């Protein structure tokens, strides 16, 4: 839910970024592009592709966080007494596997988002857009960017989860009461 909310809020940035990348002659710089989109297409244009954005991040975010935790706990249990010395490799492995899975799941949603922004009249909604994309270009059009998503997301998630876990551990060492009190922990 948090991943969806954050990405929904930043949809205008994605819309402008996509327009700058696809139409560099029309949108040569980011800040003036916000003004151009507002004037030419209206404020609603900033949320073009919101449905695939929110849906994709809901699915991918859920898979990423849940799968990382399940894999991490399974590997920790399998490592037994060696788990403490293998903490970083366990986190890295869990986050890498989970983020690769989430990237594969998110890729089709982003393909629909990009098509919606690049060709605003392509479909009247996300379902129509994805249906037309598959009909005209085949299902591969939804998955072509998977290698790029995996290459981008795996290192990011591995570092993110590792830093979070190690920082949390250090903070618990400094403030041991935080482990006992949820409010203090937060």
């Amino acid at each position: 839910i948090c991943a969806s909310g954050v990405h929904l809020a930043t949809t205008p940035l994605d819309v402008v970024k996509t327009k700058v990348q696809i139409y560099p002659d029309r949108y040569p710089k980011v800040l003036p592009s916000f003004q151009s989109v507002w004037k030419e297409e209206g404020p609603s244009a900033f949320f073009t592709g919101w449905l695939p954005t929110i849906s994709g991040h809901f699915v991918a975010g859920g898979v990423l966080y849940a799968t990382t935790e399940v894999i991490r706990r399974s590997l920790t249990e399998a490592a037994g007494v060696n788990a403490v010395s293998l903490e970083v490799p366990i986190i890295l492995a869990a986050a890498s596997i989970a983020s690769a899975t989430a990237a594969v799941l998110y890729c089709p949603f982003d393909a629909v988002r990009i098509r919606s922004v690049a060709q605003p009249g392509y479909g009247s909604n996300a379902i129509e857009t994805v249906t037309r994309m598959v009909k005209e270009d085949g299902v591969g059009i939804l998955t072509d960017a998977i290698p790029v998503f995996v290459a981008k997301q795996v290192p990011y998630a591995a570092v993110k989860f590792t830093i979070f876990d190690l920082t949390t551990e250090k903070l618990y060492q400094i403030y041991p009461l935080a482990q006992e009190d949820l409010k203090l922990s937060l």
Side-chain angles (χ1 to χ4, degrees):
I1 292 170
C2 291
S4 292
V6 166
H7 287 280
L8 177 62
T10 60
T11 298
L13 298 173
D14 279 334
V15 168
V16 171
K17 174 188 69 92
T18 301
K19 288 183 179 288
V20 167
Q21 290 172 324
I22 294 173
Y23 307 112
D25 293 336
R26 188 171 173 191
Y27 303 101
K29 294 183 180 182
V30 174
L31 290 179
S33 295
F34 276 96
Q35 294 172 328
S36 297
V37 171
W38 182 280
K39 286 178 187 173
E40 296 168 13
E41 301 177 50
S44 64
F46 289 115
F47 288 92
T48 304
W50 73 271
L51 184 58
T53 297
I54 198 169
S55 304
H57 284 288
F58 181 80
V59 170
V63 167
L64 174 63
Y65 288 94
T67 306
T68 297
E69 194 60 27
V70 167
I71 293 171
R72 190 175 132 245
R73 289 179 186 199
S74 298
L75 291 174
T76 299
E77 188 177 306
V81 294
N82 296 323
V84 173
S85 65
L86 296 172
E87 181 180 12
V88 171
I90 287 171
I91 296 167
L92 290 171
S96 296
I97 294 165
S99 65
T101 304
V104 168
L105 294 173
Y106 179 71
C107 188
F109 292 96
D110 196 59
V112 175
R113 180 197 67 79
I114 289 171
R115 183 65 61 104
S116 299
V117 172
Q119 297 175 307
Y122 191 80
S124 62
N125 58 47
I127 302 299
E128 192 175 298
T129 300
V130 73
T131 302
R132 184 173 170 193
M133 287 172 70
V134 171
K135 183 191 274 186
E136 291 178 3
D137 300 315
V139 76
I141 194 71
L142 300 174
T143 59
D144 287 345
I146 285 175
V148 174
F149 273 95
V150 170
K152 176 184 168 192
Q153 289 304 116
V154 168
Y156 168 74
V159 170
K160 173 176 72 174
F161 282 101
T162 303
I163 289 173
F164 175 80
D165 281 8
L166 295 178
T167 302
T168 302
E169 185 179 303
K170 279 289 185 208
L171 288 171
Y172 282 153
Q173 288 173 0
I174 296 168
Y175 306 104
L177 290 177
Q179 289 178 306
E180 298 172 22
D181 183 353
L182 180 60
K183 290 179 187 172
L184 186 57
S185 172
L186 294 174

